[in-house]
Amino acid sequence: MSQFAGWLAQRYKVERPLSDYEVAAGFDKLCSFKISKPIDQGLIAINSTYMEYVDRHFDYRGWAAMWGALMIALVLAFAAGMMWTLWQVQIDGERVVAQAEYYAVGFLVVLCLFCAGFAYWMLLGRDIFRYQYYPIRFNRETGMVHVFVGGQRRAISVPWKDVYFYIGRDKPVGPDEGHTYDLRGNIMRDGIVVHTFAVGSDSGDSLGVSLASWEMIKRFMESGPGALPFPPLQLFTSVEPSFRNAFIIHISSSGQGMVLLGLPITFPWAISRYLTMKLCRKPVWPESVLADCRSRSGKADGLKAPAVFGRVKQGPTAEAMMTYWSESVREAKALDADLKAQIYGKAVV
């Protein structure tokens, strides 16, 4: 499942030059494609100074915890069952337990503990006891990009011009799986990639949606919020760690007409997401970033993420926003074939 690249699989490679694909998919090479309706994917705050997005994997949180916890529970249950069986045979005195049997059970228990540790390292531990999301902030007044990374470093702050933005893609895991695309940035130093991050939610199999997402950020950074074709701008993505939001995000992820069929997976996923969010910390920007993003004009304008995912103010404004959203997605996807022809036509694999 290539949508987990950069998180659970296919870790982003750094300390390298740009690949042929990254060069071909750079937005500087795609400037001939015109987008009239930019798309908001994962935007959680916007004002006259900065705009802030969630990271690419925010919508998938809880998935690793769900499968990691299941795998750990199964292998530990198997280990406990083996030890219980051996103990019962010894207590009942039905037969003498051979020393080789103790060694065999001991080996299986150690193997199970190793598997449980591996599942925690690869799945569960990458979802819980971390941050609820890893935001990316674009400050147009100072021309800085701030990427929250957590840990002791907290955030990486670089000039806008030092980030190479392009349509990111993930290598399919299975033979029948296509590429998943997103809006990605490489932080460059002397022509070498030193850090990679992805902005907002992924675009599925559409290159055009990633291009339309980039168009919104580019217009904001180069011309300000007045260059965006809004109102009626309203934010959809909510970062509130509530069960209601977990339910909305994952139960609806199966799509219209598939909600009931998807419940065996999506309902446990929603519960796992809720528990994961409660076991994670809210990201807090370091003071250096907060100082950089304070409005020079003193204005306190803008929009923040709603408390409920997808909750927009009803009325003509909401209707106009939903109409705009459907039209922008349709316009973006209409460019997919031409984008693929240009990018992949350069013998990029």
Side-chain angles (χ1 to χ4, degrees):
M1 306 180 78
S2 62
Q3 59 266 40
F4 298 139
W7 178 34
L8 304 179
Q10 303 171 16
R11 307 291 284 182
Y12 297 141
K13 295 180 180 180
V14 295
E15 302 301 331
R16 59 174 179 82
L18 294 173
S19 68
D20 291 341
Y21 171 82
E22 290 169 332
V23 172
F27 291 119
D28 58 334
K29 301 292 193 303
L30 306 176
C31 56
S32 61
F33 292 90
K34 302 302 180 183
I35 295 290
S36 64
K37 300 178 183 296
I39 292 176
D40 151 28
Q41 282 206 128
L43 182 64
I44 57 174
I46 181 172
N47 55 41
S48 59
T49 303
Y50 67 85
M51 63 195 316
E52 183 170 310
Y53 286 80
V54 293
D55 60 290
R56 181 193 195 278
H57 304 110
F58 173 72
D59 288 347
Y60 297 108
R61 296 298 298 275
W63 180 265
M66 178 177 68
W67 291 109
L70 178 62
M71 291 178 63
I72 291 173
L74 288 175
V75 296
L76 292 183
F78 177 77
M82 292 292 295
M83 291 189 295
W84 174 257
T85 300
L86 188 63
W87 175 258
Q88 285 297 109
V89 170
Q90 182 179 353
I91 292 297
D92 293 342
E94 296 178 355
R95 63 180 179 84
V96 178
V97 179
Q99 190 175 26
E101 291 179 293
Y102 284 112
Y103 288 142
V105 171
F107 172 78
L108 289 174
V109 170
V110 171
L111 182 62
C112 287
L113 292 175
F114 173 81
C115 291
F118 183 77
Y120 181 89
W121 177 56
M122 292 296 296
L123 294 170
L124 187 62
R126 294 187 180 181
D127 222 353
I128 64 173
F129 305 135
R130 292 181 178 265
Y131 290 92
Q132 295 170 352
Y133 58 99
Y134 293 78
I136 302 96
R137 183 174 287 191
F138 299 87
N139 186 337
R140 62 172 298 271
E141 290 189 350
T142 61
M144 295 294 291
V145 179
H146 305 287
V147 182
F148 188 88
V149 295
Q152 293 183 345
R153 195 173 187 182
R154 298 283 295 281
I156 300 174
S157 299
V158 293
W160 165 257
K161 62 180 178 61
D162 289 345
V163 184
Y164 182 85
F165 289 100
Y166 62 102
I167 298 178
R169 71 170 184 182
D170 298 324
K171 182 179 179 181
V173 176
D176 298 326
E177 186 180 2
H179 290 289
T180 300
Y181 298 97
D182 55 41
L183 167 56
R184 202 171 297 181
N186 285 340
I187 298 177
M188 309 296 296
R189 184 181 301 137
D190 298 326
I192 299 297
V193 179
V194 296
H195 185 80
T196 299
F197 61 93
V199 183
S201 55
D202 68 69
S203 307
D205 60 356
S206 174
L207 293 90
V209 171
S210 292
L211 182 63
S213 300
W214 161 251
E215 181 67 20
M216 186 166 185
I217 297 173
K218 185 186 73 169
R219 289 190 188 186
F220 177 84
M221 291 295 287
E222 294 181 353
S223 305
L228 301 179
F230 302 112
L233 174 62
Q234 294 193 50
L235 306 188
F236 289 84
T237 303
S238 174
V239 293
E240 187 68 26
S242 65
F243 180 74
R244 185 176 186 178
N245 280 335
F247 188 88
I248 292 173
I249 291 171
H250 292 320
I251 300 299
S252 62
S253 64
S254 54
Q256 293 183 353
M258 299 291 290
V259 172
L260 293 179
L261 291 177
L263 276 179
I265 293 294
T266 57
F267 186 71
W269 190 1
I271 295 175
S272 178
R273 179 187 180 87
Y274 173 69
L275 295 175
T276 294
M277 288 298 173
K278 290 299 183 181
L279 291 172
C280 289
R281 293 168 287 174
K282 183 178 180 179
V284 178
W285 288 106
E287 182 56 36
S288 59
V289 175
L290 296 178
D292 180 72
C293 294
R294 290 192 182 100
S295 174
R296 271 55 177 176
S297 63
K299 295 180 180 178
D301 56 347
L303 299 170
K304 294 184 179 180
V308 179
F309 194 95
R311 176 66 58 84
V312 297
K313 296 179 181 179
Q314 300 303 308
T317 301
E319 294 177 6
M321 185 62 188
M322 296 305 295
T323 299
Y324 174 89
W325 178 265
S326 60
E327 290 176 351
S328 61
V329 171
R330 184 164 55 249
E331 177 194 62
K333 289 187 174 182
L335 299 174
D336 284 346
D338 291 337
L339 283 167
K340 285 183 179 180
Q342 175 164 325
I343 294 174
Y344 291 100
K346 299 183 182 300
V348 177
V349 295

